[in-house]
Amino acid sequence: GAGVSQTPSNKVTEKGKYVELRCDPISGHTALYWYRQSLGQGPEFLIYFQGTGAADDSGLPNDRFFAVRPEGSVSTLKIQRTERGDSAVYLCASSLRGNEQFFGPGTRLTVL
Amino acid sequence: DQQVKQNSPSLSVQEGRISILNCDYTNSMFDYFLWYKKYPAEGPTFLISISSIKDKNEDGRFTVFLNKSAKHLSLHIVPSQPGDSAVYFCAASALGGGADGLTFGKGTHLIIQP
């Protein structure tokens, strides 16, 4: 089953710590997206990559958030100096032709 | 400011009847719309989409209607089945074909009663 995978599935950290969330897209998908879903809300767009470059990072809330995709496949979302308000489910999606985004199961981040 | 609005947090429908989920949008730049279905602890799953050049798209039990002048779309599920119980998200794209980051509504929790 070659769907989008995300690791870890759950991450608990303390306020002020640094975290990395990983996304493995569907093989061959050139576009990769990160979203954040808070309780009771829909997914909120953060950033998307076309190949290795960030095509649109307008959704990143501030400079504590950063994402990379160095080889055009796996992507890592990095959050520095985590705050309690960063607690959410972080969703990754990938797409081949841009008309349908396939989502992974998400990483639930809890900042204590 | 919510650009995609789903004003019904939940909807209960009897099995076999029609389920109608509604979505309104405010951004006139949106030209492609999608519906996603989400079960607990899983990522959203694509259901059906529609381009702004159409007013209807049908796929099996699922039909999406788009009224551009009213900036309104709806998802019809008929007949409704127990497995349809899930949260449904309406999403919109402004880059044609959904290639950009999508803007989602808050979702509607559909409950199919046996």
Side-chain angles (χ1 to χ4, degrees), chain A residues 3-59:
Chain A
V4 177
S5 63
Q6 293 186 244
T7 53
S9 55
N10 279 283
K11 176 71 178 177
V12 180
T13 191
E14 293 179 343
K15 181 175 177 296
K17 299 286 190 184
Y18 168 82
V19 296
E20 289 189 354
L21 312 178
R22 177 186 166 111
C23 173
D24 274 274
I26 293 172
S27 178
H29 280 195
T30 55
L32 184 146
Y33 308 78
W34 284 100
Y35 294 83
R36 173 170 74 173
Q37 186 175 14
S38 301
L39 198 60
Q41 305 293 317
E44 174 195 15
F45 168 72
L46 298 176
I47 183 171
Y48 101 86
F49 291 87
Q50 192 60 247
T52 60
D56 182 356
D57 65 357
S58 63

Side-chain angles (χ1 to χ4, degrees), chain A residues 6-8 10-11 18-23 34-35 65-66 68 74-79 88-91 107-109:
Chain A
Q6 293 186 244
T7 53
N10 279 283
K11 176 71 178 177
Y18 168 82
V19 296
E20 289 189 354
L21 312 178
R22 177 186 166 111
C23 173
W34 284 100
Y35 294 83
F65 289 74
F66 190 69
V68 295
V74 170
S75 176
T76 305
L77 178 66
K78 309 181 181 197
I79 310 174
V89 175
Y90 288 80
L91 293 163
T107 293
R108 181 174 296 278
L109 175 66

Side-chain angles (χ1 to χ4, degrees), chain A residues 33 35 37 40-45 48 56 91 97-106, chain B residues 2 32 34 36 38 41-44 46 49 89 95 97-102 104-106:
Chain A
Y33 308 78
Y35 294 83
Q37 186 175 14
Q41 305 293 317
E44 174 195 15
F45 168 72
Y48 101 86
D56 182 356
L91 293 163
R97 287 182 296 274
N99 57 345
E100 180 185 338
Q101 295 179 23
F102 294 83
F103 282 81
Chain B
Q2 282 270 306
Y32 195 78
L34 309 91
Y36 280 82
K38 187 179 183 305
E42 295 184 10
F46 171 77
S49 61
F89 291 100
L95 207 63
D100 58 339
L102 301 175
F104 282 83
K106 290 187 178 183

Side-chain angles (χ1 to χ4, degrees), chain B:
Chain B
D1 181 32
Q2 282 270 306
Q3 296 186 64
V4 176
K5 300 178 185 178
Q6 294 177 257
N7 291 320
S8 298
S10 67
L11 175 67
S12 185
V13 174
Q14 203 160 15
E15 182 179 357
R17 307 294 287 266
I18 184 170
S19 295
I20 301 176
L21 296 99
N22 293 302
C23 178
D24 297 288
Y25 63 96
T26 58
N27 188 342
S28 56
M29 297 299 292
F30 288 147
D31 62 1
Y32 195 78
F33 304 89
L34 309 91
W35 284 93
Y36 280 82
K37 175 181 179 178
K38 187 179 183 305
Y39 293 119
E42 295 184 10
T45 302
F46 171 77
L47 261 183
I48 192 168
S49 61
I50 189 166
S51 164
S52 60
I53 62 173
K54 295 187 173 181
D55 55 18
K56 177 182 173 180
N57 188 25
E58 194 171 349
D59 183 1
R61 296 187 298 116
F62 303 92
T63 303
V64 56
F65 295 93
L66 174 62
N67 182 334
K68 278 183 62 179
S69 60
K71 293 192 175 67
H72 177 84
L73 61 155
S74 61
L75 174 68
H76 293 212
I77 306 172
V78 57
S80 300
Q81 298 175 353
D84 296 331
S85 294
V87 177
Y88 289 77
F89 291 100
C90 173
S93 166
L95 207 63
D100 58 339
L102 301 175
T103 302
F104 282 83
K106 290 187 178 183
T108 296
H109 186 193
L110 177 64
I111 302 160
I112 305 302
Q113 306 276 10

